[in-house]
Amino acid sequence: MIKYVALPNPTINMTHIYSAAKIVDAAFATGYFNNHLNEIQCAWIVLDDDTVVGWAAVSDCMLRCVVVHPDYRGQGIGRTLTEKRLKYLGDCDSVISYAWVRPDGTCMSCKNLENFGFKLEKELDNYYNETRMKCKYCDTNCNCVARLYLKRKEDV
């Protein structure tokens, strides 16, 4: 059974956090989770029984990373995590999010953001170069593009 748990929560232990770090780093890049942990204002862990299958976070009117284990994609978990994050940031006049565009042009979160009314503001070349210890596609010199998305309250 899928369960969404907002942090902090006494039912979440360090094993859960470690598992979340592993799926985030596997999806993005080695060290991503730890590099951005201090920026997080609120986070959610998604559990299937006691197995971590997803993670999402927010900070200061910004949607941070969202990751769903590959075996659980297509089940609405990413959409539900985005709903929870937007509800948490409900007082923000606008919300931003960066979407990772892989070297092959795929963007896992672009459609999700657009479905929630986010508008593409601009693309940023080599955006992740200095923040990723090791990109899973580019190795140590990440050349991946970021798309900056914005959702204004007045646009809703």
Side-chain angles (χ1 to χ4, degrees):
M1 181 174 157
I2 300 295
K3 180 170 61 172
Y4 300 83
V5 182
L7 301 179
N9 187 297
T11 64
I12 299 299
N13 58 45
M14 286 310 293
T15 302
H16 293 118
I17 301 296
Y18 177 72
S19 295
K22 282 177 45 177
I23 67 167
V24 170
D25 281 359
F28 291 109
T30 304
Y32 184 91
F33 187 89
N34 286 335
N35 287 347
H36 296 283
L37 199 54
N38 66 334
E39 301 164 357
I40 293 171
Q41 184 177 351
C42 186
W44 292 262
I45 285 183
V46 183
L47 299 170
D48 182 4
D49 292 320
D50 199 43
T51 302
V52 175
V53 300
W55 164 270
V58 297
S59 64
D60 298 325
C61 297
M62 178 180 182
L63 299 184
R64 302 298 288 187
C65 71
V66 59
V67 177
V68 177
H69 188 282
D71 294 344
Y72 288 81
R73 292 182 185 150
Q75 299 179 29
I77 293 171
R79 179 178 23 84
T80 300
L81 286 167
T82 299
E83 289 169 353
K84 290 181 177 302
R85 294 181 299 158
L86 288 172
K87 183 177 179 182
Y88 181 88
L89 296 174
D91 292 337
C92 294
D93 289 332
S94 55
V95 176
I96 65 169
S97 185
Y98 291 93
W100 175 27
V101 182
R102 296 176 181 155
D104 67 1
T106 59
C107 178
M108 297 291 286
S109 60
C110 291
K111 185 174 180 179
N112 184 46
L113 292 169
E114 291 165 3
N115 286 340
F116 278 95
F118 282 82
K119 305 285 187 234
L120 177 61
E121 291 292 308
K122 63 179 165 180
E123 287 196 354
L124 305 159
D125 293 333
N126 301 319
Y127 178 78
Y128 301 103
N129 194 313
E130 294 185 20
T131 61
R132 290 191 173 167
M133 292 167 46
K134 183 172 181 171
C135 174
K136 66 186 277 182
Y137 296 99
C138 306
D139 202 29
T140 55
N141 291 316
C142 183
N143 298 313
C144 293
V145 171
R147 288 186 181 155
L148 173 61
Y149 281 89
L150 178 66
K151 179 177 181 163
R152 293 179 180 92
K153 207 176 242 186
E154 67 230 24
D155 293 340
V156 177

